[in-house]
Amino acid sequence: MALNLDYFYGRESEQYTFYRIPKVLFTDARYHSVPAEAKLLYGLLLDRMALSVRNSWLDSAQRVFIYFTLEDAMAMMGCGHNKAVRLFADLEKIGLIERKRQGLGRPVRIYVKNFILPPEAGGPPPETPPPSAAGQTSAFGKSGLPGRGQTARKGKSALPQTGSPDFPKANANKTEGNDTEKNDTEQSIPPSPPAVQPTGAQRQQMRMDEMDLYRELIQENIGYDLLLQERSYDAATIDGYVDLMVDVCCTSRPYIRISGEEFPTAVVKSRFLKLTKEHLTYVMDCLQQNTTRITNIRAYMLAALYNAPLTLEQYYTSLVSHNMAKGFDSQ
């Protein structure tokens, strides 16, 4: 049954953003084996790169990477787990993406590869029109415009480049030669910012969307659902840690003060995005064992989360040694 949808009125058609899928994925024969839904997923991954660029998610070789989970693909593509796995595999097989697993419960890094391909060596130039039969003219007969309605100057037909001579010339748009598309999708990623600056409400919505993306990513990193099951009594504390990390990841400040020292925000973001369930469990255990009065709980939580990857192993090693020594003393 058709949906009862409304129309676009006036300038309403300009207020939306769109996902971009490169034309070359459909026009280059080397991409013909990629399913259409995998190409759509590639467009979603390209869109996610804009977030990575804004937040300087670069590896040591300055290559941009993104985080895009199977759950993201399932939700946005409206598909099941097995199909999402297959779509990622299709993109990786053809070389459009490269996935690097980090282990220890950390999310997979996805490198979105450049879709532009060099011309095939020794191959004919793309979309070369076929030679016409001698003396063949267009279906329109005479024309008042030069070069139209007659055979081409080099002996090539002016008929449509696709189809058969039975179709009239009026069906031939020849958009490849005329370059009628003003919205060129084969451009650098991310696209240039629009000339019209977003309104206050739009900026607020963009910030909320960014915070939602970071919250989802952080919750996945720390095994949020499992952590709540194991420590339901600490639900408020866990949410507080998540909110704090999201706030730091979305801040526009260049530096974050931790333990009285200024650290670049990008460094703090990177550390927070590497935290796992074990790190948060360790921080909460330390907080419960602390008996001194904390005057600035936010500063304390920031320092505890930032230092967790550095102190977790030493803490548990010391705890095991202490318990072993205590056991020997009791014997």
Side-chain angles (χ1 to χ4, degrees):
M1 181 180 67
L3 299 177
N4 185 21
L5 302 177
D6 201 0
Y7 299 91
F8 288 112
Y9 298 96
R11 299 181 62 87
E12 289 180 348
S13 59
E14 300 178 3
Q15 66 182 341
Y16 301 102
T17 57
F18 300 91
Y19 293 110
R20 297 171 180 265
I21 305 176
K23 289 192 299 183
V24 70
L25 298 186
F26 297 92
T27 59
D28 194 301
R30 287 167 285 183
Y31 287 130
H32 284 179
S33 62
V34 182
E37 287 179 300
K39 296 173 183 178
L40 175 58
L41 176 58
Y42 181 79
L44 300 180
L45 301 180
L46 283 179
D47 182 78
R48 181 62 64 87
M49 286 183 65
L51 175 62
S52 297
V53 172
R54 288 199 303 270
N55 293 284
S56 301
W57 289 357
L58 309 172
D59 63 12
S60 58
Q62 298 301 301
R63 297 175 301 185
V64 180
F65 61 88
I66 67 171
Y67 294 110
F68 198 96
T69 65
L70 282 174
E71 288 72 19
D72 289 335
M74 292 163 59
M76 300 185 73
M77 299 286 294
C79 64
H81 178 272
N82 292 342
K83 187 168 186 177
V85 171
R86 187 167 63 253
L87 293 177
F88 275 109
D90 289 333
L91 292 178
E92 193 165 30
K93 180 180 179 182
I94 198 68
L96 284 171
I97 66 171
E98 180 180 351
R99 291 182 288 181
K100 290 187 178 296
R101 292 167 176 80
Q102 304 182 81
L104 298 177
R106 298 177 183 176
V108 174
R109 284 184 177 181
I110 300 179
Y111 291 83
V112 182
K113 310 293 279 296
N114 194 329
F115 53 85
I116 300 298
L117 286 171
E120 291 182 280
E127 300 188 16
T128 302
S132 63
Q136 187 178 22
T137 59
S138 73
F140 273 96
K142 295 182 180 180
S143 172
L145 297 177
R148 303 181 66 177
Q150 304 294 331
T151 55
R153 296 179 183 179
K154 296 184 180 180
K156 294 183 179 180
S157 172
L159 291 172
Q161 295 182 6
T162 59
S164 68
D166 296 330
F167 289 97
K169 185 179 178 182
N171 289 342
N173 293 325
K174 294 188 177 180
T175 57
E176 293 294 328
N178 295 333
D179 193 19
T180 58
E181 287 194 26
K182 297 181 180 180
N183 184 17
D184 187 3
T185 59
E186 297 177 17
Q187 58 178 318
S188 300
I189 303 297
S192 301
V196 180
Q197 296 298 321
T199 64
Q202 290 173 331
R203 286 196 297 269
Q204 182 66 19
Q205 184 60 47
M206 291 168 61
R207 176 171 173 81
M208 295 298 296
D209 291 342
E210 183 181 12
M211 293 181 70
D212 289 342
L213 286 173
Y214 272 114
R215 178 171 285 104
E216 181 180 355
L217 176 60
I218 290 171
Q219 288 179 345
E220 181 183 2
N221 291 348
I222 66 173
Y224 179 79
D225 294 335
L226 181 59
L227 195 58
L228 285 182
Q229 292 178 9
E230 295 179 355
R231 306 179 67 115
S232 57
Y233 49 87
D234 283 327
T237 302
I238 295 171
D239 287 338
Y241 283 128
V242 171
D243 290 340
L244 178 60
M245 289 189 284
V246 170
D247 185 52
V248 169
C249 288
C250 294
T251 185
S252 58
R253 296 168 52 191
Y255 294 94
I256 301 292
R257 178 176 290 273
I258 296 178
S259 300
E261 185 176 353
E262 298 284 343
F263 290 88
T265 300
V267 174
V268 181
K269 281 185 185 180
S270 176
R271 183 73 63 84
F272 281 2
L273 291 174
K274 295 176 183 177
L275 296 181
T276 64
K277 172 175 168 289
E278 289 72 22
H279 293 122
L280 256 70
T281 300
Y282 158 65
V283 170
M284 288 187 290
D285 289 343
C286 291
L287 181 62
Q288 291 177 353
Q289 295 175 14
N290 181 61
T291 57
T292 60
R293 183 173 178 269
I294 302 174
T295 57
N296 189 337
I297 187 64
R298 177 183 171 86
Y300 179 88
M301 292 168 62
L302 272 175
L305 290 170
Y306 183 79
N307 293 317
L310 304 177
T311 57
L312 180 147
E313 185 175 352
Q314 291 85 344
Y315 170 80
Y316 285 115
T317 300
S318 176
L319 185 62
V320 170
S321 299
H322 173 74
N323 291 337
M324 291 179 63
K326 186 176 180 181
F328 289 140
D329 292 341
S330 63
Q331 291 179 358

